[in-house]
């Protein structure tokens, strides 16, 4: 009796975010030995190979936002034939504000293995150099482009106690920072990190309003923004309860949500737990 055919693996390969010397030997080996590479931009990938001074025997196909849904079944069929699929984005780790999630989800559902060749990350690099707390953080990626939707999301983040990381296009940076200052406070500490690991790398630190004024004349290149969370001493009981409510709305259990929020805000855990129970009971009564 023969066993089931081996499925190929999805290999998420992190590429340099700027400096080609950040490419690991594992990445080079992976690209040189690959049979099929799904690249966010095939031209950018060809340039990466040239910068690294290597060649690949792999078939390279495009895999970007516009064709990801249609490309996934084709790549899944490749996996079923036992061939690995290497996924690369233009820079950094795939899936982080880049394509790849549909393929990962489909591969896992089909029983295929998903692994990674770790590489540079603009998120973690910006966090490390920001000078802001990094023990707890959240990644928000690109906020909505339209002003009203962007401001609404920033208002929702006003009570977020964790350090926040955003991506933003240079032509929208000044307005993003202005909106952030209005929602989070002019003096909320932040850092604008541009061109990380590249020749013109720059990290500008200051309050949001100050950075918004600076960005009017200095927004160029690839931008990552790091913003401090709300300080623990700025939280009242209602603020902590609102955070618990938001976490429960996202599916987190009450006890776990209370424990995490209490740790982040300094709220008394038992009192917060009792308030959250009462809040949940009141909400349940209103829905009847």
């Amino acid at each position: 009796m023969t066993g089931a055919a081996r499925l190929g693996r999805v290999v998420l390969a992190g590429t340099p975010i700027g400096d080609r010397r950040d490419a690991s030997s594992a990445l080079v080996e992976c690209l040189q030995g690959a049979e099929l590479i799904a690249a966010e931009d095939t031209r950018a990938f060809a340039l990466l190979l040239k910068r690294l001074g290597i060649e690949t025997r792999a078939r390279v196909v495009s895999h970007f936002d516009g064709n990801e849904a249609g490309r996934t079944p084709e790549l899944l069929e490749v996996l079923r034939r036992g061939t690995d699929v290497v996924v690369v984005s233009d820079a950094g780790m795939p899936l982080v504000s880049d394509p790849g999630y549909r393929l990962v989800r489909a591969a896992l559902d089909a029983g295929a293995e998903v692994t990674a060749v770790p590489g540079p990350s603009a998120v973690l690099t910006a966090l490390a150099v920001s000078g802001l707390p990094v023990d707890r953080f959240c990644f928000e990626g690109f906020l909505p482009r339209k002003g009203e939707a962007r401001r609404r999301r920033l208002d929702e983040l006003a009570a977020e106690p964790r350090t926040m990381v955003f991506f933003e296009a240079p032509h929208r940076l000044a307005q993003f920072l202005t909106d952030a200052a209005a929602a989070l406070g002019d003096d909320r500490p932040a850092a604008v990190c541009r061109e990380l690991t590249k020749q013109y790398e720059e990290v500008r630190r200051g309050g949001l309003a100050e950075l918004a004024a600076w960005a009017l004349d200095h927004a160029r290149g690839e931008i990552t923004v790091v913003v401090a969370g709300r300080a623990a001493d700025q939280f009242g009981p209602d603020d902590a309860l609102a955070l618990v409510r938001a976490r429960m709305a996202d599916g987190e259990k009450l006890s776990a949500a209370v424990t995490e929020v209490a740790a982040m805000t300094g709220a008394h855990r038992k009192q917060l737990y009792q308030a959250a129970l009462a809040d949940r009971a009141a909400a349940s009564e209103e829905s009847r």
Side-chain angles (χ1 to χ4, degrees):
M1 183 175 180
T2 59
R6 171 196 171 275
L7 297 175
R9 302 175 304 158
V10 173
V11 182
L12 307 172
T15 57
I17 60 176
D19 193 335
R20 65 176 177 80
R21 294 172 300 178
D22 292 335
S24 67
S25 57
L27 173 65
V28 170
E29 183 178 324
C30 174
L31 298 180
Q32 289 179 319
E35 293 184 54
L36 189 144
I37 296 174
E40 182 180 9
D41 185 322
T42 56
R43 291 168 298 184
F45 178 67
L47 181 60
L48 173 64
L49 292 179
K50 184 176 181 180
R51 289 169 57 211
L52 296 179
I54 62 174
E55 296 180 351
T56 180
R57 61 187 176 87
R59 179 166 72 94
V60 180
V61 299
S62 62
H63 181 240
F64 58 95
D65 287 334
N67 77 348
E68 184 180 7
R71 182 72 79 186
T72 295
E74 174 189 337
L75 297 177
L76 194 58
E77 188 56 36
V78 171
L79 294 171
R80 291 194 177 104
R81 294 199 298 266
T83 299
D84 292 348
V85 174
V86 177
V87 179
V88 296
S89 60
D90 290 349
M93 283 299 298
L95 277 74
V96 182
S97 286
D98 284 325
Y101 176 74
R102 285 188 179 91
L103 176 60
V104 166
R105 190 64 262 167
L108 292 173
D109 290 343
E113 180 184 352
V114 176
T115 187
V117 178
S121 164
V123 175
L124 296 180
T125 303
L127 271 169
V129 302
S130 68
L132 298 173
V134 299
D135 53 336
R136 288 184 174 90
F137 67 90
C138 60
F139 174 59
E140 287 290 321
F142 288 97
L143 291 195
R145 296 182 180 184
K146 294 185 177 180
E148 183 178 350
R150 180 174 61 245
R151 288 189 287 272
R152 189 182 311 119
R153 180 57 186 149
L154 286 165
D155 285 339
E156 293 171 351
L157 292 169
E160 173 59 62
R162 295 170 295 182
T163 298
M164 297 165 279
V165 185
F166 305 87
F167 288 159
E168 191 51 275
H171 64 279
R172 291 195 299 269
L173 178 62
Q175 190 58 59
F176 165 83
L177 292 169
T178 298
D179 290 344
L184 310 179
D186 289 351
D187 296 327
R188 179 73 70 93
V192 175
C193 309
R194 67 180 204 89
E195 296 292 271
L196 288 170
T197 77
K198 300 177 184 177
Q199 181 179 359
Y200 297 107
E201 174 179 308
E202 181 178 13
V203 180
R204 186 81 176 190
R205 305 172 182 87
L208 285 170
E210 174 192 343
L211 291 173
W214 168 84
L216 289 171
D217 297 317
H218 298 86
R220 302 181 186 88
E222 298 288 333
I223 305 289
T224 305
V225 182
V226 186
V227 181
R230 187 171 180 176
D233 59 7
Q234 296 176 331
F235 281 91
D238 291 341
D239 298 316
L241 183 58
L243 286 173
V244 171
R245 192 182 298 126
R247 285 174 172 267
M248 291 175 62
D250 288 338
E252 194 167 345
K253 291 184 178 180
L254 185 148
S255 180
V258 167
T259 299
E260 185 68 15
V261 170
M264 290 190 296
T265 65
H268 189 282
R269 187 191 180 284
K270 187 174 181 179
Q271 293 176 357
L272 181 58
Y273 185 78
Q274 293 300 323
L277 280 177
D279 183 69
R280 185 173 67 176
S284 177
E285 186 65 29
E286 288 179 5
S287 66
R288 290 180 181 176

